[in-house]
Amino acid sequence: MVMACRVINKRRHMGLQQLSSFAETGRTFLGPLKSSKFIMDEECHESVLISSTVRLLESLDLSSAVGQLLNEAVQAQNNTYRTGTSTLLFLVGAWSSAVEECLHLGVPISVIVSVMSEGLNFCSEEVVSLQVPVHNIFDCMDSRKTFPQLETFSVSLCPFLQVPSDTDLIEEEHGLKDVASQTLTISNLSGRPLKSSEFFKPQAKVEADKNTSRTLKNSLLADTCCRESILIHSRHFNRTDNTERVSKPDGFQEHVTATLKSYRCNDLVELAVGLSHGDHSSMKLVEEAVQLQYQNACVQQGNCIKPFMFDISRICTCCLPGLPETSSCVCPGYVTVVSVSNTPVIKELQNQPLRIVLIEGDLTENYRHLGFNKSVNIKTALTSMELQEDSSEELWANHVLQVLIQFNVNLVLVQGNVSERLIEKCINSKQLVIGSVNGSVMQAFAEAAGAVQVAYITQVNEDCVGNGVCVTFWRSSPLDVVDGNNRIAILLKTEGINLVTAVLTNPVTAQMQTKEDRFWTCAYRLYYALKEEKVFVGGGAVEFLCLSCLQILAEQSLKKENHACSGWLHNTSSWLASSLAIYRPTVLKFLGNGWQKYLSTLLCNTAHYSSEFEASTYIQHHLQNATDSGSPSSYILNEYSKLNSRIFNSDISNKLEQIPRVYDVVTPKIEAWRRALDLVLLVLQTDSEIITGHGHTQINSQELTGFLFL
């Protein structure tokens, strides 16, 4: 991979410049149409194809302090939400550049921190108006029927719309039919009725055509969401409350004076399509996994008496490179790979109930759990260390084998590593031992088979052994699923187990990691949408609203600047308050520039515009229209209602039933914004004195004295 190179001006803030340079390498990952990168390993000369921020940072040199902070922020986002890392990385770069510009204009650091923080908080509160409630997704589902599957769409998501192709349309069961005659009255500040988007169609009491899908019959719900942000600041540093807060302008009070109606989303297929962001193959597997969990819950609870909750911890993946992508599927139970040498054992054990033992740690002779205290003051004199170790492991392996035979155990699942010598002995005695098993898988088998997990094999007794587990080959012909490491895929299951495995296949080994990452991204999007019972209007609508709000806020702050200047001249003690008033329009403008770059890059990445300048001009045109309307949120929703509108997508189809809805998850998106800004402000505050000194804001030199290679 050709690494990015950027000139670093050491007379300006180096930390912010480094953040911008790191972020530049991942701009092609923004949006649904990602451009992949090949990463070459210099040592083994192997390559892997990546299309995610996390995998990119794993391949870059992040040994610097700034690199480590960036990696920590991205890893925290990924470990928690598994989505939003590309947005985080891009905004880190965009806002680092924005802060640099503020410093170059002489804006005090305290003002930058205060205004940008409050500006983002304000945006986070305003975008609540674009939330869509997600309720009762599983109430109308029949656990006995076959569920409709996701269809394939070509994606044009930047911003706002995802347009399907003419040949691959969503089936009638998915129900995005044209009900343009249905309208939603939205009360804005002026009290004028506003037609709703055809994307979010209410359950109006009109004569429904027999072909109208049930998906469209969504009821209206008053938006009672609390305007107070439930997200707190990042762990990086705390903000004080003694700074002047950004007041909401008059144009943003419609959420107080009026009730904004929003549409429900109460169909799993519709929700999955909207959250797939172009990756329909991965989301289809996720949807099938959810349906398997739902069906299992109905069987266990008796027609789902209790509300069903999607448990993402009970989903695991099994990657099988070398097979065609059409082989990818979802299976109830646990699919994993074992050595081909286990084939005779599996043939011997299949089609019969097995007794199972679960080992929490490693199954090796020298393993001791974390609480073990080694005996002290013991000296061992040996004439041959190697002979002693060999004989010790041999004795231990024989003892383990005796325990397994004593309790008639055929299957052992180990969370850690397994002794190779023990595996050989177990194969000879027709016993299957599988290592590196996920903890959630262990717990699932413990619950379903009645087994108790133990730390050592010596703790095994009759009460710890589970029953009723079955093992078989994943495919009828095991030789069809042998990978490059001579491993075969097998399936373990037992009655009532709450575990689903997504088997991921790809003929290109280098793409296997990317396929698994995308599956988990889709899974976590759907998980958080169901957990929070709300989603955002997607496709860039939320970012566009943030940009609109900040522009209006900056314009209104600019009108108050002259008054603040006169007050500052008469009262020098109010310097900070006066500085806030003077510089607020500038800081808000540069903060909004981050959203502008975000939307422009989305448009360029989807090949709708040849340059960012052209895309930015297009966005600026509609930004002005949104500002002139007096209610940006109403403007956004109104544009959805125009059948032939060219807003937000130049290729919008005249056939509205071909257009699926687009959604974004709420908390992961907002938290990605917050982490990005927190990181930028942290680097700004910690490095400003150390690297650039007190006078860095007055320096206007273009002297370039160094390079940063990524």
Side-chain angles (χ1 to χ4, degrees), residues 607-646:
H608 279 281
Y609 295 90
S610 58
S611 67
E612 285 194 24
F613 176 78
E614 184 181 356
S616 181
T617 303
Y618 177 79
I619 294 171
Q620 193 64 37
H621 168 71
H622 296 293
L623 181 64
Q624 187 61 48
N625 292 342
T627 303
D628 294 341
S629 71
S631 176
S633 59
S634 298
Y635 175 83
I636 292 171
L637 294 175
N638 189 38
E639 290 304 323
Y640 278 113
S641 67
K642 297 179 180 179
L643 183 61
N644 297 317
S645 173
R646 297 174 62 87

Side-chain angles (χ1 to χ4, degrees), residues 393-449:
E393 183 175 10
E394 185 73 17
L395 290 174
W396 172 83
N398 289 333
H399 174 68
V400 172
L401 200 57
Q402 291 176 2
V403 173
L404 298 180
I405 294 174
Q406 176 186 352
F407 294 101
N408 193 25
V409 174
N410 317 102
L411 176 63
V412 181
L413 298 186
V414 184
Q415 192 167 353
N417 300 319
V418 182
S419 167
E420 292 294 335
R421 182 60 181 152
L422 176 62
I423 292 178
E424 294 176 4
K425 285 183 171 292
C426 288
I427 290 176
N428 295 331
S429 61
K430 306 301 181 183
Q431 292 162 323
L432 181 61
V433 181
I434 303 175
S436 302
V437 180
N438 183 274
S440 298
V441 176
M442 301 277 287
Q443 184 62 32
F445 275 100
E447 296 172 358

Side-chain angles (χ1 to χ4, degrees), residues 425-601:
K425 285 183 171 292
C426 288
I427 290 176
N428 295 331
S429 61
K430 306 301 181 183
Q431 292 162 323
L432 181 61
V433 181
I434 303 175
S436 302
V437 180
N438 183 274
S440 298
V441 176
M442 301 277 287
Q443 184 62 32
F445 275 100
E447 296 172 358
V452 178
Q453 300 183 54
V454 296
Y456 302 105
I457 196 69
T458 54
Q459 296 174 320
V460 174
N461 55 44
E462 186 62 34
D463 295 332
C464 298
V465 180
N467 298 278
V469 180
C470 297
V471 59
T472 185
F473 294 106
W474 177 61
R475 287 279 188 86
S476 57
S477 177
L479 295 180
D480 291 342
V481 287
V482 177
D483 64 11
N485 296 322
N486 288 325
R487 300 180 301 174
I488 57 174
I490 63 172
L491 171 62
L492 302 176
K493 61 189 302 184
T494 185
E495 183 179 357
I497 188 169
N498 182 20
L499 184 66
V500 176
T501 302
V503 181
L504 308 177
T505 61
N506 197 293
V508 182
T509 304
Q511 294 181 350
M512 200 70 256
Q513 184 65 67
T514 296
K515 188 176 183 66
E516 185 178 20
D517 291 342
R518 289 181 173 178
F519 170 83
W520 284 117
T521 296
C522 288
Y524 272 84
R525 281 201 202 111
L526 187 57
Y527 168 72
Y528 278 103
L530 294 174
K531 178 182 178 181
E532 297 180 335
E533 297 186 331
K534 58 186 177 182
V535 289
F536 276 138
V537 174
V542 177
E543 289 79 9
F544 186 85
L545 179 59
C546 291
L547 179 58
S548 302
C549 292
L550 289 176
Q551 177 169 296
I552 295 176
L553 208 59
E555 290 176 354
Q556 294 195 352
S557 298
L558 189 61
K559 296 177 182 178
K560 303 177 182 179
E561 181 178 342
N562 293 334
H563 177 72
C565 289
S566 60
W568 175 50
L569 293 174
H570 292 287
N571 185 8
T572 57
S573 63
S574 62
W575 174 85
L576 178 59
S578 299
S579 298
L580 283 171
I582 293 171
Y583 291 114
R584 177 178 283 115
T586 300
V587 177
L588 290 175
K589 174 186 175 182
F590 284 117
L591 180 65
N593 285 349
W595 300 123
Q596 179 97 3
K597 292 180 180 179
Y598 180 93
L599 293 172
S600 300
T601 303

Side-chain angles (χ1 to χ4, degrees), residues 361-377:
D362 295 344
L363 190 53
T364 57
E365 187 273 336
N366 58 357
Y367 169 75
R368 302 294 183 271
H369 65 82
L370 295 177
F372 176 79
N373 295 320
K374 186 177 180 180
S375 301
V376 295
N377 299 326

